[in-house]
Amino acid sequence: MLAKELQQQSRVNFSRYPHVLARNGFYESFFIRANAPCGQKAFWIRYTQTQSKGKQERIGELWAVFFDGDRTYVDKKTVSDSSIHFSKRHFNIELGEAFLKNGQAEGICNSISWSLSFKGDQKSIFLLPSSLYSMPFPKSKSITSDPMVSFNGKIMVGRVEYDIADWIGSQNHNWGEKHTDQYAWGQVCGFDNSPDTFLELISAKLDVGPIQTPMLTSVVFRHKGILHSFNALNKWIKNKGSYNYSTWSFSCENDEMVLSGTISTPIEHFVGLAYTNPPRGKKYCLNTKQAKCTLHVEEFNGIGMPQSLVSRSRCAFEILTDEDESYHGVNIER
């Protein structure tokens, strides 16, 4: 069973690309991201293969974004089918000369290059219930393969070299027949006042035939060494999530605790990216890795007082939309 297979830490990064031609199209991406300890700098690097519906060849896309305070540098490189190698039996991702594998990432994306090592020892995070990873719904799947990773090495932006020393972030794996129709996604790898706490969440609307679902929200939260999941199907509607192009408010609860919080960023801190959607057209991703997250935690075990956790500038915040620059004003890199 795939659901059981996904629970095995060693297999979460094996390629899910179909063995035969994907009739409806398919995409698969692996990305790494991290923030400097000071919170003023961050990077995001994404390795993607996409096969559009009706096409036989894949296209590889390498994205690199470096956030340096109020300045953001972004580059994209396209790779032909023959230079794409995503292994089904090992964690080994290659796009041309760029690669991502166990503990290493290297590549050149035009003006941005990187040579990084990384390590982490926490269990993978499944944003969906495990049973859904073997089901056709939803069309897009996501795993945070390594949720608390320490990165070291170098990143070059033009002629400027940045030393990456114990930057904390994550390594992630996404795939499916189409991108999620509309979503906000967030992740915190360590809060300022709780450095070992991890938060990941998504609020999304899905097209099911001619019908669009209401906003569905899924949350996972690792705190004090314990994983708290608010991702069961019956929680998706009960959990609350509402966002616009600068602020996202959310709340959820289970038998153990209540979480509520906000993620926010000035819209000018987003970089806009155009993703190929396998069925047709483009989706636009507004992306920052320097958002603010405030989280209120109230546990029901009677031990301790409610807590307020803060990440002032080290929260990942992405919005996927069909709307281009004319709606939100963020320049889209194509």
Side-chain angles (χ1 to χ4, degrees):
M1 293 289 291
L2 180 58
K4 292 182 179 179
E5 175 184 306
L6 288 169
Q7 298 295 338
Q8 299 180 35
Q9 194 78 1
S10 62
R11 298 193 175 193
V12 293
N13 285 319
F14 289 12
S15 175
R16 303 297 166 184
Y17 194 81
H19 288 281
V20 297
L21 178 67
R23 181 177 301 174
N24 295 320
F26 197 83
Y27 85 94
E28 183 170 33
S29 67
F30 293 79
F31 72 84
I32 54 176
R33 70 95 179 176
N35 294 82
C38 66
Q40 298 303 309
K41 296 177 176 63
F43 69 81
W44 174 85
I45 299 168
R46 183 176 186 258
Y47 303 70
T48 299
Q49 60 174 344
T50 302
Q51 179 193 319
S52 295
K53 183 177 181 179
K55 303 290 186 180
Q56 294 191 12
E57 292 190 345
R58 298 167 296 170
I59 296 295
E61 292 179 332
L62 190 63
W63 287 95
V65 182
F66 194 86
F67 302 87
D68 187 357
D70 292 331
R71 301 185 66 182
T72 302
Y73 305 90
V74 57
D75 233 325
K76 174 189 175 183
K77 185 176 183 179
T78 301
V79 177
S80 65
D81 191 322
S82 62
S83 298
I84 301 170
H85 302 285
F86 282 37
S87 175
K88 294 179 179 295
R89 297 187 177 185
H90 309 279
F91 179 26
N92 186 44
I93 308 305
E94 299 177 14
L95 288 178
E97 295 182 357
F99 67 82
L100 174 65
K101 58 185 180 180
N102 288 322
Q104 289 183 279
E106 290 189 11
I108 300 174
C109 186
N110 301 324
S111 65
I112 302 175
S113 62
W114 58 95
S115 179
L116 300 167
S117 63
F118 60 92
K119 61 180 178 180
D121 58 5
Q122 293 196 8
K123 292 183 179 180
S124 302
I125 293 290
F126 299 87
L127 195 52
L128 301 175
S130 60
S131 61
L132 291 187
Y133 287 91
S134 60
M135 303 284 284
F137 175 85
K139 296 293 187 181
S140 180
K141 309 293 195 289
S142 174
I143 298 174
T144 300
S145 305
D146 205 332
M148 294 287 281
V149 177
S150 177
F151 288 88
N152 289 275
K154 304 288 184 183
I155 293 181
M156 291 285 296
V157 181
R159 297 182 179 180
V160 180
E161 182 176 274
Y162 293 88
D163 183 38
I164 311 301
D166 296 324
W167 290 25
I168 303 299
S170 64
Q171 183 264 306
N172 305 260
H173 183 193
N174 307 314
W175 71 91
E177 292 185 0
K178 60 184 289 191
H179 288 289
T180 301
D181 299 288
Q182 175 185 327
Y183 72 68
W185 173 82
Q187 187 187 83
V188 179
C189 297
F191 287 81
D192 298 348
N193 55 343
S194 187
D196 295 326
T197 295
F198 175 89
L199 173 71
E200 185 170 4
L201 64 157
I202 187 169
S203 290
K205 290 185 177 182
L206 308 178
D207 292 339
V208 183
I211 300 172
Q212 187 176 72
T213 68
M215 190 67 74
L216 308 174
T217 297
S218 179
V219 183
V220 286
F221 178 59
R222 184 175 283 156
H223 186 53
K224 300 177 182 177
I226 300 173
L227 180 66
H228 305 272
S229 297
F230 307 81
N231 65 351
L233 281 173
N234 64 346
K235 293 287 187 182
W236 288 9
I237 294 180
K238 292 180 180 179
N239 297 338
K240 303 299 182 184
S242 178
Y243 66 90
N244 56 34
Y245 284 124
S246 61
T247 304
W248 180 10
S249 299
F250 58 90
S251 63
C252 58
E253 65 177 278
N254 58 18
D255 293 337
E256 302 166 332
M257 64 175 58
V258 175
L259 298 181
S260 60
T262 59
I263 293 174
S264 60
T265 192
I267 194 166
E268 57 267 24
H269 286 183
F270 280 119
V271 60
L273 314 171
Y275 291 168
T276 299
N277 200 26
R280 65 182 184 278
K282 298 286 186 179
K283 304 293 286 191
Y284 302 113
C285 179
L286 308 189
N287 185 323
T288 183
K289 298 298 175 279
Q290 294 188 295
K292 178 180 180 180
C293 178
T294 59
L295 184 66
H296 185 75
V297 184
E298 184 175 356
E299 299 183 70
F300 294 150
N301 58 15
I303 301 175
M305 298 292 290
Q307 291 181 279
S308 291
L309 307 183
V310 179
S311 177
R312 292 179 178 83
S313 60
R314 293 186 292 125
C315 175
F317 183 12
E318 297 182 9
I319 295 172
L320 196 73
T321 177
D322 292 321
E323 298 175 340
D324 62 14
E325 295 97 328
S326 62
Y327 289 87
H328 44 68
V330 178
N331 182 57
I332 301 294
E333 300 287 341
R334 291 174 168 83

